[in-house]
């Protein structure tokens, strides 16, 4: 029985298979390409997530900030409500407000952002306000008592 295959046609088919599709996109061969599929993008996202340069803010700093703002809101509500004319509470609240300004100025050090000139200026203003409020509130408490 004779072979009915054409060696020339088979050789041409093998050459076409070896060359591949000339119209095929070759984005994955270019430099800085993200054409490696879903797995590569997932790995890139994990790598960028793990290389964050900003440190996280400690939990105690966040809880202290929340506590400071709760205290300030309670003081403002009491000053405009039930204890409106009470001199001792008014002077004591000045001391507490000054302490809150000082705490906020101190907690500014633990901010995950870099300290800009504006942030440093706000820290200085808060420190000055803390000193003024604590001094005036303490002096007022001495005078009332």
């Amino acid at each position: 029985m004779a072979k009915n295959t054409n060696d020339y046609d088979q050789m041409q088919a093998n050459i076409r298979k070896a060359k591949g599709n000339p119209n095929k996109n070759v984005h994955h061969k270019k430099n800085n390409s993200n054409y490696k599929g879903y797995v590569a993008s997932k790995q890139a996202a994990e790598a960028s997530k793990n290389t964050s340069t900003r440190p996280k803010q400690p939990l105690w700093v966040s809880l202290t900030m929340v506590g400071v703002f709760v205290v300030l809101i309670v003081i403002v509500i009491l000053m405009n409500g039930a204890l409106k004319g009470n001199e001792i509470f008014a002077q004591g609240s000045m001391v507490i407000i000054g302490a809150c300004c000082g705490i906020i100025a101190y907690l500014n050090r633990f901010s995950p952002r870099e300290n800009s000139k504006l942030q440093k200026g706000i820290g200085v203003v808060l420190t000055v306000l803390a000193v003024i409020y604590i001094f005036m509130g303490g002096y007022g408490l001495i005078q009332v008592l």
Side-chain angles (χ1 to χ4, degrees):
M1 204 175 200
K3 241 180 176 180
N4 287 338
T5 59
N6 189 350
D7 289 333
Y8 180 76
D9 289 337
Q10 184 66 32
M11 191 179 353
Q12 292 299 323
N14 289 340
I15 290 171
R16 279 194 310 273
K17 286 180 184 177
K19 285 183 180 177
N21 186 357
N23 297 325
K24 185 178 178 182
N25 291 330
V26 289
H27 297 295
H28 64 280
K29 294 182 180 177
K30 294 180 181 176
N31 289 338
N32 299 327
S33 176
N34 192 16
Y35 192 76
K36 296 177 184 171
Y38 180 72
V39 176
S41 63
K42 185 177 179 182
Q43 290 173 348
E46 288 177 4
S48 67
K49 192 186 304 182
N50 292 338
T51 60
S52 64
T53 58
R54 292 179 9 179
K56 280 189 161 183
Q57 194 170 14
L59 179 64
W60 68 271
V61 172
S62 301
L63 293 177
T64 305
M65 292 290 280
V66 169
V68 164
F69 286 115
V70 167
V71 167
L72 289 175
I73 289 171
V74 168
I75 286 174
V76 168
I77 289 172
L78 289 176
M79 283 178 66
N80 292 323
L83 300 172
K84 195 169 191 172
N86 192 344
E87 287 294 321
I88 295 175
F89 180 75
Q91 301 304 325
S93 65
M94 283 182 68
V95 171
I96 293 172
I97 290 172
C100 289
C101 288
I103 290 171
I104 292 171
Y106 174 72
L107 293 180
N108 192 21
R109 295 179 347 143
F110 299 103
S111 174
R113 296 178 301 272
E114 291 185 23
N115 286 337
S116 64
K117 290 182 180 180
L118 178 65
Q119 202 169 6
K120 289 179 182 177
I122 290 172
V124 169
V125 169
L126 282 172
T127 305
V128 169
L129 284 175
V131 170
I132 291 172
Y133 268 94
I134 290 173
F135 176 74
M136 295 302 289
Y139 183 75
L141 275 175
I142 291 172
Q143 294 298 321
V144 171
L145 296 177

